[in-house]
Amino acid sequence: MAPRNQHEESNETAVNSSPQHSSKMKHLRYDTNNKEEQPQQTAKQQKSQHDKRKHTKSTIALCLVMLTNSCLQISVFPYSGYMAIHLIPNANEENTGRYAGLIASFYMTGRIFSSFLWGRVADAYGRTFVMKISSALCAIFSILFGLSTSFTSALVFRFLCGVSSGTMGPVKTSVSELSKGNQ
């Protein structure tokens, strides 16, 4: 350690003898001697940080579920006309609009018939269960819809995809609970 000169020592003594410095020292001694209080604050802070991370991960997962649901609903719009032309033998660009509308609307028709049922299933088995099962069924029926070889099978799979789309209610309820909407 390098030797100090006399000027540095006199400044340090003046600072150490000031009333402000002595109160700071007492405060520091209080904090270091009171070790029981520090872990409690740290535990509370850790729990708060853990809850924030948990809520962030849950919110991101719920957003991804809703994004997937929205994509299932609207992704068919750009190609439904071409799909109708491909699946219906006598369809052309002039009369395919009606068929494209049927393909697009059968998803929402399926949701009309199953919304309340999915709500009851969520109450009975839990929202997470409904979101997992609904997402899996939607994936299966979407793949089958894409592989359809007839117009009728395309409508049936699109309808079943709508019936199996039960994520809207559980996601909205979960978001409400995460944001503490009932308090």
Side-chain angles (χ1 to χ4, degrees), residues 72-175:
L72 284 174
Q73 183 177 351
I74 64 172
S75 67
V76 74
F77 294 150
Y79 62 83
S80 60
Y82 298 109
M83 188 173 192
I85 290 173
H86 177 72
L87 294 176
I88 300 171
N90 296 330
N92 57 25
E93 290 181 10
E94 294 175 8
N95 64 0
T96 194
R98 158 179 58 219
Y99 303 117
L102 284 173
I103 291 173
S105 66
F106 261 56
Y107 179 83
M108 291 305 288
T109 306
R111 283 187 61 187
I112 288 170
F113 292 114
S114 67
S115 295
F116 291 111
L117 175 67
W118 280 114
R120 289 186 180 176
V121 171
D123 289 341
Y125 298 104
R127 289 185 299 274
T128 305
F129 173 78
V130 167
M131 284 188 261
K132 288 178 182 177
I133 294 297
S134 178
S135 297
L137 288 173
C138 281
I140 291 167
F141 290 131
S142 292
I143 291 169
L144 292 174
F145 168 72
L147 297 174
S148 297
T149 56
S150 70
F151 185 71
T152 306
S153 66
L155 290 180
V156 167
F157 290 131
R158 186 78 173 149
F159 179 80
L160 290 174
C161 188
V163 167
S164 64
S165 175
T167 58
M168 184 70 70
V171 167
K172 286 184 177 184
T173 305
S174 298
V175 168

Side-chain angles (χ1 to χ4, degrees), residues 5-23:
N5 63 24
Q6 211 173 17
H7 181 67
E8 286 179 357
E9 286 182 18
S10 64
N11 282 341
E12 188 175 320
T13 330
V15 169
N16 288 341
S17 63
S18 71
Q20 291 175 342
H21 186 268
S22 62
S23 67

Side-chain angles (χ1 to χ4, degrees), residues 29-92:
R29 273 187 255 133
Y30 175 76
D31 281 346
T32 56
N33 292 334
N34 191 359
K35 297 195 184 239
E36 294 173 3
E37 191 173 313
Q38 287 179 352
Q40 290 175 352
Q41 290 176 351
T42 307
K44 287 180 183 178
Q45 290 173 350
Q46 287 176 351
K47 185 178 184 302
S48 174
Q49 289 174 351
H50 176 72
D51 288 345
K52 285 180 185 178
R53 278 183 267 159
K54 183 179 174 183
H55 290 317
T56 302
K57 288 179 182 179
S58 298
T59 303
I60 290 170
L62 293 172
C63 288
L64 289 174
V65 168
M66 286 307 298
L67 178 68
T68 304
N69 192 9
S70 299
C71 287
L72 284 174
Q73 183 177 351
I74 64 172
S75 67
V76 74
F77 294 150
Y79 62 83
S80 60
Y82 298 109
M83 188 173 192
I85 290 173
H86 177 72
L87 294 176
I88 300 171
N90 296 330
N92 57 25

